Every structure is written in C-alpha cells, then in structure tokens.
Amino acid sequence: LLAGDRATRLYANPEARTYYEQALTTARGMAKSAEAQQAEIEATLKIAGVAWTREHFEQDLVSLQRAQALAEGLGDLPRLSRVLYWLGRIHYTVGRTDTGIEYARRALELAEQLADETLQAPPVNLLGRAHFVRGEPQKACALLARSVRQMHAIGNRVEEATASGMLGRSHAHLGQFPEALDAAEHGLRIAEEIEHLPTLAACLMYRGHLNCWRGDFSGLEDLERGLEIAEK
C-alpha cells in the first residue's frame, strides 16, 4: 500500500495499481480475521482511486461490492461510507449518474451520522458534480460551495481547487458570471500554488469554459494551455 501511495503521488497510476493489487492479493490470502478484512477493504479502496479504463471500473465495482459486504459484516461504518462513496463515484464516472447519486447519498448519510467532516467531504463533492451533470445547477451550486468549505477545512487543496472550478461552471449555467469568475479564479490560484498538473489542467478548463459561455473568447487560451498540460 505504501509503495502504491508513492507511485500515486508521481501520477504513475499503472505502477500504483500493480502495488495495490498485490496488497489486495496478500490481504485475501491472510487467515480470516477482522484485520485481514479491513486490509482487503483498504486495498480495494486504493485500487479504485487509480482506475483509468472502463475495464478497471467494472472490475473495481465487483471488488467494491465485496468490500461493502465485508464492511457491513464488521459493522465498520466509516469504511462502509468510503466504500459507498467509491461505488457512487465509479457509477458516475461511467455515466450512470442516478445510481452514483444514490450511493453518494447513502455514503453521506452514514458520514453525517458519524459527524465526521472528513467522511462527509467526498460524497458532498460527488453529489455536487453529479447534479451539475444532470442539469441541476442550483443544487450543484449549494453542494459545491459546501464542498469547497469542507475541502479547505480538512486541508485537501486539490479537491478544494477542482470543486471551486466546478462551482464556477455551475454559477455560469445560472448566468451568475461574477460569482462564477470568483470561484474559477480561486480554484485556479490554488492549482498554481500547489503545482498539481492534473488539477491545473482541470481548473484552466473550468475558467476557459465559463469565459467562452459569457462571450469572452480569451477563454480559448485557457483551454489550449490546459490541453498542453494534460498532454504533458
């Protein structure tokens, strides 16, 4: 797991997935115990975090459903909330938005029962994105504004930046361009400060989109720069 974490920090997802899969195999080979089941859940969650193909997503759904059963059997509500979040995120990623929202809501309900802000933050973020994709910018704005606050509070600057960029797009869909630009600029500023290239590419895309939507085609420069970073 530690080797996979190091690879993830270098954006080396194929290597990270290999290490996490080794961890999963090891956990499943251990004598049955609560500790072994917890290790299997952790490895499954890590694998889901570095998926990048539809084949991976479908494989990970199977593993996550097994992890859900393990967490329920252990009565481990924090891990169950995390598993439900990832089930929702994968369904959202492959285009099953309604299913993604249902899992995210269940994850958030558990996290709110536990009064755990760190557990609440990911499903709130996912719900904001999903409602935006479903054409519900009003709901998206409320959730993404909450996500920006939560991610700031827990120190997750990557997700704070991307949530802020998506919040900008949601405001733009409502014609609220001053608020949209403020949010997009906030996300882009963080992305540049932390020098996280995938986040920077995303935040350039968000600002580029909303500027083009309001008739300022200098936004194309952001889109071109984002594309260069993504290709790099």
Side-chain angles (χ1 to χ4, degrees):
L1 289 176
L2 291 172
D5 290 347
R6 285 194 292 271
T8 299
R9 287 193 292 271
L10 296 172
Y11 320 130
N13 282 10
E15 290 81 0
R17 191 172 179 93
T18 297
Y19 285 124
Y20 292 145
E21 286 175 343
Q22 290 173 357
L24 180 60
T25 300
T26 301
R28 287 178 174 173
M30 294 166 63
K32 185 176 180 180
S33 66
E35 291 76 12
Q37 291 176 336
Q38 290 165 355
E40 179 175 343
I41 295 169
E42 290 300 321
T44 300
L45 292 168
K46 295 281 191 179
I47 291 170
V50 293
W52 71 91
T53 70
R54 180 169 287 274
E55 182 181 4
H56 288 162
F57 296 139
E58 297 302 337
Q59 291 172 354
D60 293 346
L61 284 175
V62 174
S63 295
L64 284 163
Q65 285 163 352
R66 172 171 164 146
Q68 178 184 351
L70 291 175
E72 289 171 343
L74 292 168
D76 190 333
L77 298 186
R79 284 191 172 88
L80 179 57
S81 177
R82 292 165 62 203
V83 170
L84 291 171
Y85 161 73
W86 275 104
L87 282 164
R89 179 162 167 171
I90 290 177
H91 280 292
Y92 161 79
T93 300
V94 300
R96 296 189 284 266
T97 306
D98 289 349
T99 304
I101 286 174
E102 181 57 33
Y103 275 114
R105 283 177 177 160
R106 291 169 61 191
L108 180 57
E109 286 172 4
L110 281 178
E112 288 178 336
Q113 286 176 29
L114 296 165
D116 189 326
E117 192 85 356
T118 302
L119 281 177
Q120 291 172 30
V124 167
N125 182 278
L126 177 57
L127 285 167
R129 293 169 183 270
H131 282 295
F132 174 84
V133 168
R134 203 160 68 170
E136 299 166 340
Q138 198 77 48
K139 288 183 179 179
C141 278
L143 287 159
L144 288 166
R146 179 181 174 187
S147 179
V148 171
R149 294 191 298 270
Q150 286 178 321
M151 294 303 180
H152 179 78
I154 66 177
N156 189 332
R157 303 198 77 200
V158 167
E159 291 295 348
E160 181 186 354
T162 55
S164 193
M166 181 67 83
L167 174 60
R169 292 181 74 188
S170 300
H171 278 302
H173 269 248
L174 294 169
Q176 299 165 347
F177 289 110
E179 296 88 344
L181 284 170
D182 284 346
E185 294 286 358
H186 178 71
L188 186 55
R189 186 164 55 251
I190 293 172
E192 289 174 335
E193 287 174 1
I194 63 178
E195 298 180 337
H196 189 269
L197 296 183
T199 300
L200 181 56
C203 287
L204 285 164
M205 177 190 70
Y206 297 143
R207 190 175 71 173
H209 276 172
L210 72 89
N211 274 322
C212 289
W213 289 341
R214 73 190 186 104
D216 178 358
F217 292 100
S218 67
L220 291 171
E221 296 175 8
D222 281 343
L223 297 175
E224 288 170 354
R225 184 179 166 210
L227 178 58
E228 289 173 4
I229 293 169
E231 288 175 336
K232 177 181 178 181

